[in-house]
Amino acid sequence: NAGVTQTPKFRILKIGQSMTLQCTQDMNHNYMYWYRQDPGMGLKLIYYSVGAGITDKGEVPNGYNVSRSTTEDFPLRLELAAPSQTSVYFCASSYTDNEQFFGPGTRLTVL
Amino acid sequence: AQRVTQPEKLLSVFKGAPVELKCNYSYSGSPELFWYVQYSRQRLQLLLRHISRESIKGFTADLNKGETSFHLKKPFAQEEDSAMYYCALRDNTDKLIFGTGTRLQVFP
């Protein structure tokens, strides 16, 4: 199986544009997470989900939205991109609260 | 406040030298701690967790509640150990709090 997949790998956005970062997992994990990684700052949790239909805010949710209509997919939406959202975004999944499995990341630049 | 501190951004050693990557935490209660690793061009992945008390790739980490530390150690570093290492703490809502990471460079 592919594990956690993310698309796109790279994206450049203009200020005010919107986009959706896709995340899919094929391990039937109920927990899914979105993190952002800024240089020298570690990973910060944006949103997470403990199952289909359930989402919750993490540490840095402002400017983002998520949905979880299926177990497999957990898209992250940026409605009005800002330069402060330039970052590397990682999606992860886990079975309950066990080991988290990470995707390869999406590098987003907002100009 | 729940927090993970990795004081070193970069640690450089020669092959065969001992390695200690520092991690300190702040948590009231019984902590659950992890080390995650990201090798070049690979995904972030779990290296070890303290409850397993295991050695992975020669690395060990002991939880020291008195010093609130969970340092990662290896007696003899190898070039393939070069990577970014993150210490993480499971908080009281079952989410992970990550440290800022330490880049380990092992020179030949």
Side-chain angles (χ1 to χ4, degrees):
Chain A
N1 53 28
V4 179
T5 56
Q6 291 182 238
T7 56
K9 285 190 168 55
F10 305 94
R11 184 73 186 268
I12 298 175
L13 282 182
K14 293 183 179 175
I15 294 172
Q17 285 185 319
S18 61
M19 78 165 292
T20 299
L21 282 69
Q22 301 290 348
C23 175
T24 299
Q25 54 92 9
D26 61 2
M27 296 174 282
N28 203 32
H29 286 167
N30 47 343
Y31 285 37
M32 294 188 76
Y33 313 83
W34 273 107
Y35 295 92
R36 58 178 288 171
Q37 183 183 40
D38 300 319
M41 297 297 289
L43 282 82
K44 301 286 186 188
L45 184 65
I46 305 171
Y47 270 95
Y48 68 103
S49 169
V50 300
I54 306 169
T55 62
D56 225 329
K57 294 179 181 178
E59 187 181 353
V60 290
N62 291 345
Y64 307 94
N65 275 304
V66 292
S67 59
R68 184 92 183 273
S69 55
T70 66
T71 300
E72 295 78 20
D73 300 306
F74 190 41
L76 178 72
R77 179 90 179 152
L78 283 72
E79 289 295 349
L80 289 169
S84 60
Q85 293 178 304
T86 293
S87 189
V88 181
Y89 292 84
F90 289 100
C91 179
S93 71
S94 66
Y95 181 68
T96 62
D97 57 357
N98 285 326
E99 172 185 356
Q100 291 188 20
F101 292 83
F102 284 80
T106 294
R107 186 174 295 275
L108 176 67
T109 301
V110 182
L111 300 173
Chain B
Q2 297 163 93
R3 187 167 53 243
V4 175
T5 303
Q6 293 181 251
E8 302 143 326
K9 279 191 165 57
L10 174 66
L11 183 63
S12 300
V13 300
F14 285 102
K15 177 181 168 182
V19 168
E20 183 179 68
L21 295 153
K22 292 186 167 43
C23 172
N24 289 91
Y25 65 90
S26 172
Y27 186 72
S28 56
S30 222
E32 191 175 347
L33 287 144
F34 307 81
W35 277 99
Y36 277 78
V37 61
Q38 188 172 26
Y39 300 103
S40 179
R41 299 190 194 87
Q42 293 187 30
R43 302 172 185 217
L44 194 62
Q45 58 188 284
L46 179 67
L47 180 63
L48 54 80
R49 63 181 78 190
H50 92 271
I51 59 173
S52 301
R53 301 185 66 81
E54 56 198 345
S55 173
I56 303 291
K57 298 185 179 182
F59 284 97
T60 58
D62 291 318
L63 178 61
N64 185 324
K65 291 187 180 180
E67 295 183 358
T68 59
S69 68
F70 187 56
H71 302 329
L72 184 68
K73 299 177 184 178
K74 185 168 182 177
F76 307 104
Q78 303 298 314
E79 288 178 70
E80 55 265 30
D81 295 329
S82 295
M84 195 74 185
Y85 291 81
Y86 293 93
C87 183
L89 165 74
R90 191 193 302 286
D91 73 8
N92 55 11
T93 61
D94 286 334
K95 297 190 292 295
L96 288 181
I97 299 171
F98 285 87
T100 51
T102 298
R103 179 169 299 283
L104 174 64
Q105 286 183 331
V106 181
F107 294 110

